[in-house]
Amino acid sequence: MRFHNLSLFLLGSQIASTSAFAPQTVQNARSSLYATNPQQNVVDTIESIDATVKGALSGMALAAALWTAPALMAGTMDQFPSVASNDAFSTSIASAKEMASGSGTRVNKDPESLLRYGLPIKNKEVRDLQKSIEDIKINVSSKRKSAALDDLKKARGIINTKESKMTASCRDAKVCSDILASMKSDLEPLEGTLRASVDYQSGSDQERKALDDSYLTQDKIQKKLTTLEEQMIPAGYQTPVPSDYDDLPQLKGRATVEMVVKKTGGEKFDIEGQLFNEAKMKMIIDGYAAPVTSGNFVDLVQKGFYTDMDIQRSDGFVVQTGDPKGEADGYVGTPSKSVGAGKHGERLIPLEIFPQGDKGPFYETTIEDEGRGGEATVLPFSSYGAMGWAREEYDPNTGSSQFFWLLFDSDLTPAGKNVLDGRYPVFGYVVEGADFLRDVKEGDIIASAKVTEGAENLVQPK
C-alpha cells in the first residue's frame, strides 16, 4: 500500500486498534471449554490469533482508505491511497468486498429490511413477524429448508394470534387486516414449494426451481409486510427538524428515484458475464432518517442536476458523483441562512445524523464529537449500495450535491462499528440493480435520474 501521507497510515492504525474495528474473536472462536482434546485447543487458539491478525489488517486498510473516501472530489484524489495495489492487503480487502449474499450473518445487509427497521413505528408483534418472514429468505438462500418451514410456521402463528395487536397500531385497521389476510394466503403456496424442495434431490433442477419459486413468493410477502408497517406510521408524522433549516428542501417521508447509467462509446456493462446496454438502479430515499439530506437530493434530481453528469469516482470502495463542471464543487443555488454558501456559491447543507433511540437527528456535528462514538444510526452503512452524502473531511457543513454509493459490505462494516456510521448520513439504499455498481466506472454517464414515487413528500423552503 502506497500511503502518500504517513499520518494517514498512523490514523488508520489507530482506528483499527479501537473497538470500532476490533474483530469479534470472542464471539467467533470456539470456547476451549467445549474442545474435545488439548490439541484442538491449540488449533483453535492459532486460528483465533490468525483471525485477529487478519481482522486487524483488514480493519486498518479499510479505515485508512475510507477515512477520506467520501470526501468532496475537489483536491482529494491525489492524496487517496491505493489499497488494492499492495499485495500484503489484497487478500483481506478482497474478502471484505462482498455482495449481500456474502458471509457475516450477524450483519443485516438487506436494504429493504434496513428500511423497514428504519420506519418510525413501535409494534413488537409486527417486528416479530418481520423477523420470521425475513428469516425465511435467509434460510431459503442457504438451502436450510426445514428452518425456513419453521419460520413460516412462526409467521403464520403470529398472524393468527396477534392480528388485533398489529392492526391496533394502524391508521386504518381494515387495510391492515386485508394485508395480513393476503400475506397469510401467500404462505400456503410458499409452504408448498418449500416442502417440494425437501423432497427433491439436493442439487437437482427440480430443487432449484422449487427454491426459486419459494424465493419469489417470499419477496412478494415481504413487500406486503412493508406496506403493512408503513400503515403503522402515525398520521401526520414528520421527523422533527430544527426551524433553522426551514429554508432548505426537506423530504417528509420517502421517495423512489430511478437512475439509468450508460457507458460511452457503446460499451456494455458486464455483470458476471452477462452484458447489459445500461445500468438501471432503483433507490429508496428516506426522509424519515435524513429529511434535510434526502430533501436536498430529491430536489436536485427533480431539477435535473444529475442528468448527463459523469461518474467521477469508482475505486472499489465507493462510486461517487455530483461534482458539476466548472469551479463550483456542488450545486449553486440560494443558500441557507444557517449554513451559508460555499466559496463558489454552492448551496450547503448541514451534517445530519440520526442515532437509534433518539427522537430525531442532530446536526452540524459527528457522532464522535457528540461523545457517542460506536452508537448505531437508524440507517447504517451495512448494505452494498448504501447512499451517503459527501463533504470535506474536517468541516461537517460542506455537503452540497456530491454523494456516494458504498461498495463495501462485510463484517468490517457492521452498524455503529465502522468509520462511516455517525460521520456521514445514510439517506437511502439501492433496492434494485445494485449489482451494476460493480461495473460502474469513472466517465460513465447518468443518462437519467427521475423521482418515480413520493415526489409529493418534498417540501420546498418557506
Side-chain angles (χ1 to χ4, degrees):
M1 183 184 300
R2 296 178 179 269
F3 286 92
H4 300 280
N5 189 323
L6 180 60
S7 64
L8 182 60
F9 177 82
L10 295 175
L11 179 61
S13 302
Q14 182 180 9
I15 295 171
S17 66
T18 65
S19 60
F21 272 91
Q24 302 295 313
T25 54
V26 174
Q27 297 178 15
N28 295 339
R30 179 167 41 178
S31 169
S32 61
L33 293 174
Y34 295 94
T36 57
N37 59 68
Q39 290 181 334
Q40 183 62 51
N41 289 346
V42 174
V43 171
D44 288 345
T45 301
I46 292 173
E47 290 179 348
S48 176
I49 293 172
D50 183 56
T52 302
V53 172
K54 288 181 179 179
L57 288 174
S58 300
M60 180 174 62
L62 179 61
L66 287 184
W67 190 262
T68 57
L72 297 183
M73 295 299 299
T76 62
M77 289 302 292
D78 292 339
Q79 297 177 358
F80 182 70
S82 177
V83 175
S85 65
N86 187 280
D87 293 337
F89 288 90
S90 60
T91 302
S92 56
I93 289 300
S95 65
K97 291 164 60 179
E98 301 172 291
M99 296 299 292
S101 60
S103 62
T105 56
R106 287 184 298 277
V107 180
N108 188 350
K109 304 175 183 181
D110 185 338
E112 293 185 73
S113 171
L114 293 169
L115 285 165
R116 281 190 285 270
Y117 279 116
L119 288 171
I121 63 175
K122 292 183 179 181
N123 186 287
K124 178 183 180 301
E125 289 72 25
V126 83
R127 291 305 190 199
D128 290 342
L129 178 61
Q130 177 179 339
K131 183 179 185 306
S132 295
I133 290 174
E134 291 176 355
D135 283 350
I136 294 173
K137 178 180 180 179
I138 294 170
N139 287 318
V140 168
S141 299
S142 58
K143 298 177 69 171
R144 299 178 67 234
K145 309 165 196 177
S146 296
L149 285 166
D150 288 342
D151 294 324
L152 185 149
K153 183 178 179 181
K154 291 177 186 177
R156 180 180 283 138
I158 293 170
I159 294 174
N160 287 337
T161 62
K162 306 295 183 182
E163 177 178 347
S164 61
K165 289 188 176 181
M166 287 187 281
T167 57
S169 296
C170 294
R171 298 191 301 275
D172 188 325
K174 185 180 185 307
V175 169
C176 285
S177 291
D178 291 344
I179 295 172
L180 287 166
S182 179
M183 292 172 64
K184 183 178 177 181
S185 177
D186 289 337
L187 288 175
E188 294 182 13
L190 176 57
E191 182 177 16
T193 54
L194 282 174
R195 293 196 180 282
S197 71
V198 173
D199 296 333
Y200 292 129
Q201 182 178 353
S202 179
S204 66
D205 290 341
Q206 294 93 333
E207 181 202 43
R208 181 69 269 162
K209 184 180 185 307
L211 290 174
D212 286 346
D213 290 344
S214 298
Y215 197 91
L216 291 173
T217 305
Q218 189 279 340
D219 186 64
K220 180 180 177 182
I221 294 171
Q222 74 172 12
K223 282 179 168 51
K224 293 179 181 179
L225 173 67
T226 298
T227 305
L228 174 70
E229 292 188 2
E230 288 173 342
Q231 264 288 322
M232 295 181 178
I233 301 171
Y237 175 86
Q238 293 183 359
T239 299
V241 177
S243 60
D244 293 349
Y245 311 118
D246 284 348
D247 55 358
L248 288 170
Q250 296 181 26
L251 187 64
K252 305 295 186 179
R254 287 179 174 171
T256 301
V257 171
E258 296 185 8
M259 190 174 287
V260 176
V261 181
K262 294 185 177 182
K263 292 185 177 295
T264 58
E267 294 184 38
K268 298 181 184 295
F269 290 90
D270 186 344
I271 307 300
E272 295 184 352
Q274 284 190 281
L275 300 181
F276 300 85
N277 293 325
E278 55 189 20
K280 294 182 178 180
M281 293 183 288
K282 180 178 178 180
M283 296 156 280
I284 302 297
I285 310 304
D286 190 6
Y288 294 125
V292 175
T293 309
S294 297
N296 187 64
F297 177 74
V298 171
D299 177 56
L300 293 177
V301 170
Q302 288 193 322
K303 290 181 186 309
F305 177 79
Y306 297 108
T307 300
D308 295 327
M309 183 171 287
D310 60 329
I311 299 298
Q312 294 135 10
R313 184 175 195 166
S314 178
D315 51 22
F317 295 97
V318 297
V319 171
Q320 187 166 328
T321 189
D323 183 9
K325 289 178 170 46
E327 63 179 6
D329 296 328
Y331 170 73
V332 176
T334 303
S336 165
K337 292 180 181 178
S338 60
V339 182
K343 59 184 178 181
H344 299 299
E346 298 93 343
R347 181 179 75 186
L348 303 179
I349 63 172
L351 176 61
E352 182 176 43
I353 304 297
F354 197 161
Q356 286 185 9
D358 285 12
K359 294 182 178 180
F362 59 77
Y363 292 84
E364 305 194 33
T365 183
T366 68
I367 205 164
E368 287 87 358
D369 291 338
E370 289 289 304
R372 303 172 62 180
E375 290 189 27
T377 51
V378 171
L379 295 185
F381 281 101
S382 62
S383 177
Y384 189 93
M387 302 174 70
W389 207 254
R391 60 175 177 84
E392 291 181 10
E393 182 177 350
Y394 298 109
D395 190 339
N397 296 337
T398 48
S400 176
S401 58
Q402 296 187 40
F403 72 96
F404 60 92
W405 291 278
L406 183 68
L407 303 187
F408 267 84
D409 175 26
S410 73
D411 285 334
L412 293 178
T413 55
K417 294 187 178 182
N418 58 69
V419 296
L420 295 180
D421 284 343
R423 298 189 74 249
Y424 299 87
V426 175
F427 66 95
Y429 295 107
V430 180
V431 295
E432 293 180 14
D435 284 357
F436 284 115
L437 289 170
R438 285 186 282 172
D439 197 34
V440 172
K441 306 298 183 184
E442 291 179 24
D444 292 349
I445 304 297
I446 299 175
S448 67
K450 298 179 180 178
V451 180
T452 56
E453 293 180 41
E456 69 279 3
N457 295 327
L458 179 65
V459 177
Q460 292 291 351
K462 297 178 181 178

